[in-house]
Amino acid sequence: VGTPSSLPLEATSKLSLDSMEKIEAMSTSLASPDSMASLSPDSMEKIDVLVVGCGISGISAAYHISKHCRGTTFAVLERRAKLGGTWSFFKYPGIRTDSDVFSFGFGWKRWESDNIVAPAKDICQYLDDAVDEHGLRQHIRLNTDVVSASFSSATQRWTVTTGAGGTIVCRFLILTTGYYQYEKPHMPAFDGSDRFQGTFVHSQQWPESLDVAGKRVIVIGSGATAVTMVPALIDSGATSVV
């Protein structure tokens, strides 16, 4: 049950690559001598590009903006206290990519490890290194969520409001937020689940303190998450895993 562990890495990498032509095309538009100061009150922050989400796609977007749109002002907003998206959020046993990272890593940051199928902690370290090596951390704002975004045809600008009450006006808004809800994962209705006397856990909300040693475990689902989780549950001492 849950999001396949490798899909976010593949999907977001492909999304990043598919978006690069659009980002590079922005450089011409961003170079136009258009003042943003007259578009909104001085209390509003004005920047050229705002990226929402600091997972793999958000980091890649930040790199390409800094590389191909020199002089462009931009920021990356991340609602959580740590960058990395899927790879820093999920905590279930055995989380790793089930595809080789050489194929799905950044084209601008080599994967140096000999571990081709990488666990989440190694991917998070890779992302942190990529951010620091290319000076992107100064553009990342953690613990900043977006509560609304509206576009004005008259000014050709986005107005974005954050949870802290801040307002950002930007020319381009890039959403790299993934495709599932952090707070409320998909949970099918199972008849009789209210009578189950054991521990019912969703892979998206896995408690790091959960000890499966000596327990019988049933995994519902047979996707990439299950494939990576089952061997880890056995290694953690579960007496049986089905």
Side-chain angles (χ1 to χ4, degrees), residues 11 29 46 57 65 89 94 96 122 145 183 202 204 212 221 229:
S29 175
K46 281 84 69 174
S57 284
I65 293 170
F89 175 72
R96 60 169 174 79
D122 288 356
D145 61 333
E183 297 87 353
H202 194 290
Q204 188 170 318
V212 299
M229 182 185 294

Side-chain angles (χ1 to χ4, degrees), residues 13-116:
S13 295
K14 291 178 180 178
L15 174 62
S16 300
L17 292 173
D18 292 342
S19 300
M20 286 310 102
E21 291 185 1
K22 297 179 181 179
I23 292 176
E24 291 181 17
M26 278 195 274
S27 59
T28 301
S29 175
L30 289 170
S32 62
D34 184 10
S35 173
M36 300 182 67
S38 61
L39 297 174
S40 54
D42 292 338
S43 60
M44 294 183 179
E45 180 181 5
K46 281 84 69 174
I47 60 176
D48 293 314
V49 184
L50 183 64
V51 180
V52 181
C54 198
I56 288 182
S57 284
I59 293 170
S60 191
Y63 167 80
H64 284 278
I65 293 170
S66 65
K67 177 73 172 180
H68 301 290
C69 304
R70 297 295 176 86
T72 298
T73 56
F74 71 95
V76 183
L77 306 186
E78 169 57 50
R79 67 181 302 186
R80 298 169 55 236
K82 186 176 182 181
L83 59 82
T86 291
W87 303 104
S88 63
F89 175 72
F90 282 87
K91 303 298 181 183
Y92 62 81
I95 177 172
R96 60 169 174 79
T97 173
D98 62 353
S99 303
D100 73 278
V101 189
F102 294 112
S103 296
F104 296 104
F106 297 130
W108 45 271
K109 164 64 178 172
R110 290 183 57 187
W111 179 260
E112 302 290 351
S113 172
D114 293 331
N115 195 350
I116 298 177

Side-chain angles (χ1 to χ4, degrees), residues 75 158 196:
W158 286 94
F196 179 63

Side-chain angles (χ1 to χ4, degrees), residues 93-94 211-214 227-241:
D211 184 7
V212 299
V227 169
T228 59
M229 182 185 294
V230 169
L233 291 172
I234 295 173
D235 291 342
S236 297
T239 53
S240 66
V241 181

